[in-house]
């Protein structure tokens, strides 16, 4: 079960709030802390454009820092929400579908292959992920791939946390094995079908 507190540090929220009220220097620690995770998010979905998208995301996040509401979630979830909007804009400008909506046209699953300990399972897992509804797949990738909590992932896609947990549970039940990751960038592991229905 993912803890909804593992990424929701008050220091991150405080940095954004301080920056929003007139101290831009407070934004610097956030850039240093979250750039690797955000760059990985972009690189797994838009290889070759990750550097530019990361720069655009930080510009947008800085400009919108006054809209951050600590009572509604973590700084991490808010930043990934900004990143998701930047990615969607990138695909709109290119005349392509958002990465989560069409796994055939825009295929981000190479990163999934690379994270599997047992390479022989990769084709089956890829097919299972591609067959998931777009929102369930995106939630699963945000939680198991990017290391967000279910609550943070819910904020990123704009749905209630309870709905996200329910859809994550349903998505996991459709996979041939339980897919988990220890942290952003970590290699994923698979566990036998007996654990598919363990609670999210």
């Amino acid at each position: 079960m993912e803890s909804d507190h593992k990424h929701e540090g008050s220091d991150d929220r405080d940095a954004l709030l301080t920056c929003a009220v007139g101290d831009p220097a407070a934004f610097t620690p956030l850039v240093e802390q979250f750039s690797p995770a955000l760059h990985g998010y972009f690189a797994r979905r838009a290889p070759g454009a990750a550097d530019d998208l990361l720069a655009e995301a930080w510009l947008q996040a800085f400009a919108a820092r006054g809209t951050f509401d600590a009572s509604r979630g973590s700084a991490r979830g808010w930043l990934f929400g900004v990143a998701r909007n930047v990615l969607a804009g990138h695909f709109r400008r290119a005349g392509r579908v958002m990465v989560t909506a069409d796994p055939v046209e825009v295929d981000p699953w190479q990163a999934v292959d690379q994270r599997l300990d047992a390479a022989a399972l990769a084709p089956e897992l890829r097919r299972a992920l591609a067959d998931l509804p777009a929102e369930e797949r995106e939630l699963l990738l945000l939680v198991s791939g990017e290391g967000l909590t279910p609550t943070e992932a819910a904020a990123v896609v704009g749905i209630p946390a309870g709905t996200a947990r329910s859809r994550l549970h349903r998505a996991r039940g459709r996979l041939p094995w339980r897919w988990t990751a220890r942290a952003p960038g970590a290699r994923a592991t698979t566990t036998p079908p007996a654990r598919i229905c363990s609670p999210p």
Side-chain angles (χ1 to χ4, degrees):
M1 179 175 184
E2 298 88 356
S3 169
D4 278 354
H5 300 289
K6 65 180 178 180
H7 289 307
E8 298 184 7
S10 60
D11 290 347
D12 300 337
R13 291 194 291 264
D14 290 346
L16 265 175
L17 291 171
T18 302
C19 181
V21 297
D23 183 8
F27 205 74
T28 301
L30 294 172
V31 176
E32 295 172 348
Q33 179 179 353
F34 291 113
S35 281
L38 293 174
H39 188 275
Y41 171 83
F42 288 127
R44 284 182 281 277
R45 291 157 175 81
D51 290 348
D52 290 340
L53 294 174
L54 179 63
E56 182 179 346
W58 282 121
L59 287 172
Q60 289 195 17
F62 185 80
R65 63 194 186 279
T67 67
F68 173 69
D69 183 353
S71 69
R72 298 180 62 184
S74 70
R76 181 182 177 86
W78 184 80
L79 289 168
F80 267 88
V82 172
R84 183 178 188 259
N85 290 336
V86 168
L87 184 68
H90 169 73
F91 282 113
R92 280 196 301 269
R93 291 191 296 273
R96 300 166 74 182
V97 180
M98 175 68 181
V99 67
T100 57
D102 191 342
V104 176
E105 181 177 358
V106 183
D107 187 355
W109 311 131
Q110 288 184 3
V112 176
D113 287 342
Q114 294 167 0
R115 290 175 176 187
L116 288 174
D117 289 328
L121 299 179
E124 187 173 1
L125 181 54
R126 282 171 60 98
R127 286 192 296 270
L129 284 169
D131 288 341
L132 290 175
E135 191 170 80
E136 290 183 15
R137 182 170 59 250
E138 183 174 16
L139 286 167
L140 189 64
L141 288 173
L142 287 169
V143 172
S144 292
E146 307 300 338
L148 273 66
T149 67
T151 296
E152 289 171 334
V156 171
V157 302
I159 61 175
T163 301
R165 290 188 183 90
S166 175
R167 292 178 183 174
L168 279 166
H169 182 74
R170 185 164 59 240
R172 285 169 174 151
R174 292 172 175 169
L175 295 182
W177 284 270
R178 172 77 180 270
W179 177 45
T180 61
R182 289 182 293 274
R187 290 179 62 80
T189 61
T190 53
T191 54
R195 293 198 43 202
I196 285 177
C197 294
S198 60

